[in-house]
Amino acid sequence: MDFTRPGGIVVDGVGLTFHPPRRDSVVALENVDLTVSPGEFVCVVGASGSGKSTLLRLLDGLITPTTGTITAGGEPVTGPSPDRAMVFQSDNLMPWSTVVDNVAYGLVLGGMKRARARQIATTQLERVGLADAARLYPRQLSGGMRQRVNIARALAVDPQVLLLDEPFAALDAQTREIMSAELLRIWSADRKTVVFITHQIDEAVFLADRVVVLSARPGTVREIVPVDFARPRDLSLKRTPEFGRVVDHIWSLIEDEVRGSLGLH
Amino acid sequence: MSPPTRRVSPLSWLGGATRGASVTRLLLSLTLFLVVWQVSATYLIDNRLLLVPATEVAGALYDEIASGEFARHLGTTLLELVIAFPLAVVGGFVIGAVLAGSKPVRQTLDPILTALYSLPIVALAPLFTAGLGFGVASKVAVVILMAIFPVITNTDAGLRSAEPALIETARSYGAGRLQVLRTVTLPHSVPFIISGIRVAFARALVGVIVAEFFGAVAGFGFAIAAAAQSYQTARLLGYVVVLGVVGLVASIGLTALERRIAPWKED
């Protein structure tokens, strides 16, 4: 695999230390190595405090690592770029913009004429099944619909890499199941590179080609678990014994740390 | 059997969000006010210097309009407001934006601004009359000082309270400082600024009237003071009623403006 092609990501020896004012510095990530192939779907799991979200912000370029380097498509990551789009846990839609203008946001920022951007946004809204909501304001939508708008906004800029930070964590369990199946359906259309952060192990195994397990404090790669289930996958996969075995294996890697963080042994 | 019909009680219709309901509510409350006024003035309070019936006030107001006095006073007060109020709003916005943009400036000026905001500026009205004369200038000065502080405070608060998550989202889509300001911080602050303007207008009305009390040749405040000195309660109340109407119209206008430029806001 050529990780320097568009959509490929190379994380090489990356560490990040925070220096909060008047408090001890925190080593959030240490010596993280990770390569993602173009078009691959990678999920990152780990106990709270393992630096999952920090890793994603580093990949997007919102923060810069203390040590090591990150390249995307062969280019060093020095800041946010239209090649990568971020989907945050809370939908973060602009409350003052209609749904279609929210989806067009990244395109308009990039200098595209509003009319053209709205056309593209409308197409993306159709993809996520929300064409009828175009003229509504975010507050008029349910949480699941808002998160679909959020994803459509990221897809609209046609990025090479999609970075998702626990995008379904705020949704109820049933909505979350349907949304992850929807995400796979949308992803399978053009197979962009995806890095997906979650604390739901079954969600990670259902979605990913590989699951990256981070250990906590400092966060570092504990193990990378390949997931070989055939695609397209549907939700019935989750009820098979093979699926359960992969989930159990990953859980066993994380369990001690979750217990530790709770003061249990 | 007829299908069950959903009955809407008159009371729940009145609480609705339709234009008809809100106009009806307005008319109802005005009627209630006039009835209470008329009844109190006719049967409860017989001190004619304190209160006269609404009908007499209407008559006095009619006389003022017919003689052209009303138009003269209205013109002067309006002119003072039209000069001073936009200056207060624009100036307040600029100062508020500077405060929001610079923490050291904000922290340095905060005690002075807080003191000035809580100060009854109208206490300075005689000073401005003495220094700037009986004309429009002294009124403009008082109105600006009265109206500018709520705009400053709300602009500053609005510009600084945008959600960090939205700002980070904008940055992740490649927004620079100016684009963050234009697409996140400014739209977020619009409702704050409008409510600042609302408070500012109420204070501007107080300012212009009180400033005219202390020395003027025309204006509502001048007319009210003149009526009081000659014990013409009906004429005095006539101008007060008109001031009430001005306040009401301004409030309705600002609500309409807010609906137009901030339609995303919940009521």
Side-chain angles (χ1 to χ4, degrees), chain A residues 108-125:
Chain A
V108 174
L109 266 192
M112 188 183 282
K113 287 265 190 304
R114 190 171 290 273
R116 176 83 191 106
R118 279 187 178 149
Q119 270 178 12
I120 295 172
T122 307
T123 315
Q124 292 301 335
L125 279 173

Side-chain angles (χ1 to χ4, degrees), chain B residues 9-212:
Chain B
S9 75
L11 211 65
S12 73
W13 176 82
L14 194 61
T18 60
R19 182 173 290 259
S22 65
V23 169
T24 309
R25 281 197 297 268
L26 183 66
L27 290 178
L28 264 178
S29 74
L30 286 179
T31 310
L32 184 70
F33 173 74
L34 287 174
V35 166
V36 169
W37 178 1
Q38 189 74 16
V39 168
S40 333
T42 316
Y43 301 106
L44 297 176
I45 298 169
D46 54 5
N47 182 346
R48 296 280 108 175
L49 286 178
L50 195 60
L51 190 66
V52 295
T55 42
E56 261 179 59
V57 172
L61 198 55
Y62 177 80
D63 291 343
E64 287 292 294
I65 294 170
S67 70
E69 280 294 285
F70 180 83
R72 186 169 74 89
H73 297 310
L74 177 72
T76 303
T77 300
L78 269 187
L79 176 69
E80 287 154 1
L81 285 175
V82 163
I83 295 171
F85 194 63
L87 284 175
V89 169
V90 173
F93 176 79
V94 170
I95 296 172
V98 169
L99 294 183
S102 163
K103 196 174 175 189
V105 171
R106 180 170 68 248
Q107 286 174 328
T108 310
L109 294 184
D110 186 60
I112 308 168
L113 288 169
T114 309
L116 285 175
Y117 193 176
S118 40
L119 191 79
I121 303 282
V122 287
L124 295 173
L127 181 78
F128 283 107
T129 308
L132 297 174
F134 280 30
V136 170
S138 55
K139 292 20 165 223
V140 167
V142 174
V143 169
I144 289 177
L145 277 179
M146 280 292 278
I148 200 167
F149 294 105
V151 182
I152 294 176
T153 313
N154 280 36
T155 303
D156 174 39
L159 288 175
R160 283 192 297 123
S161 60
E163 273 181 68
L166 290 185
I167 294 173
E168 189 180 37
T169 303
R171 291 217 304 119
S172 83
Y173 281 98
R177 265 180 72 98
L178 244 126
Q179 283 174 313
V180 169
L181 184 71
R182 197 168 50 75
T183 64
V184 181
T185 321
L186 268 180
H188 167 83
S189 64
V190 165
F192 288 79
I193 296 170
I194 291 180
S195 68
I197 292 176
R198 196 182 285 280
V199 176
F201 190 75
R203 284 170 60 98
L205 270 190
V206 173
V208 79
I209 297 303
V210 174
E212 287 170 354

Side-chain angles (χ1 to χ4, degrees), chain A:
Chain A
M1 264 301 170
D2 185 0
F3 303 109
T4 60
R5 275 184 21 230
I9 299 172
V10 179
V11 178
D12 185 14
V14 160
L16 184 79
T17 307
F18 289 116
H19 298 283
R22 287 186 297 277
R23 277 192 287 148
D24 294 341
S25 54
V26 179
V27 183
L29 290 169
E30 194 171 63
N31 208 17
V32 173
D33 294 316
L34 177 67
T35 49
V36 182
S37 314
E40 192 179 16
F41 200 128
V42 169
C43 284
V44 181
V45 298
S48 324
S50 58
K52 304 185 292 284
S53 295
T54 306
L55 177 61
L56 206 66
R57 281 174 170 75
L58 285 166
L59 294 181
D60 194 45
L62 283 169
I63 46 180
T64 41
T66 319
T67 59
T69 55
I70 299 173
T71 62
E75 300 287 321
V77 171
T78 53
S81 145
D83 293 341
R84 295 179 298 283
M86 185 99 166
V87 175
F88 294 91
Q89 176 178 338
S90 54
D91 54 77
N92 292 358
L93 299 177
M94 307 297 169
W96 40 83
S97 296
T98 56
V99 164
V100 66
D101 283 337
N102 263 293
V103 177
Y105 182 76
L107 297 169
V108 174
L109 266 192
M112 188 183 282
K113 287 265 190 304
R114 190 171 290 273
R116 176 83 191 106
R118 279 187 178 149
Q119 270 178 12
I120 295 172
T122 307
T123 315
Q124 292 301 335
L125 279 173
E126 282 163 11
R127 257 181 108 182
V128 299
L130 281 174
D132 292 341
R135 288 163 166 278
L136 299 179
Y137 285 96
R139 70 173 163 91
Q140 296 170 291
L141 307 183
S142 70
M145 290 162 95
R146 281 202 297 270
Q147 202 51 281
R148 267 144 74 199
V149 175
N150 190 11
I151 291 169
R153 173 172 64 180
L155 292 171
V157 296
D158 195 21
Q160 289 156 11
V161 179
L162 212 49
L163 305 168
L164 302 105
D165 186 8
E166 304 200 32
F168 308 142
L171 306 177
D172 64 75
Q174 288 84 10
T175 309
R176 189 157 56 209
E177 293 269 288
I178 304 296
M179 289 287 287
S180 53
E182 272 288 282
L183 180 65
L184 277 191
R185 181 185 66 78
I186 293 164
W187 171 75
S188 63
D190 50 10
R191 300 233 170 180
K192 294 177 186 308
T193 309
V194 174
V195 179
F196 186 106
I197 306 287
T198 179
H199 58 256
Q200 295 279 116
I201 297 169
D202 64 329
E203 186 173 69
V205 175
F206 175 69
L207 292 169
D209 295 317
R210 287 187 300 153
V211 177
V212 177
V213 182
L214 291 186
S215 65
R217 290 175 218 276
T220 188
V221 176
R222 173 98 184 251
E223 191 172 318
I224 296 178
V225 180
V227 182
D228 298 324
F229 302 119
R231 295 184 189 274
R233 301 171 183 172
D234 66 64
L235 287 167
S236 61
L237 170 66
K238 287 189 158 187
R239 292 187 290 274
T240 62
E242 296 79 11
F243 187 88
R245 272 196 287 278
V246 181
V247 171
D248 285 347
H249 172 63
I250 295 174
W251 172 237
S252 70
L253 293 171
I254 300 176
E255 186 176 8
D256 287 345
E257 292 181 16
V258 175
R259 285 181 172 278
S261 72
L262 292 169
L264 305 167
H265 293 285

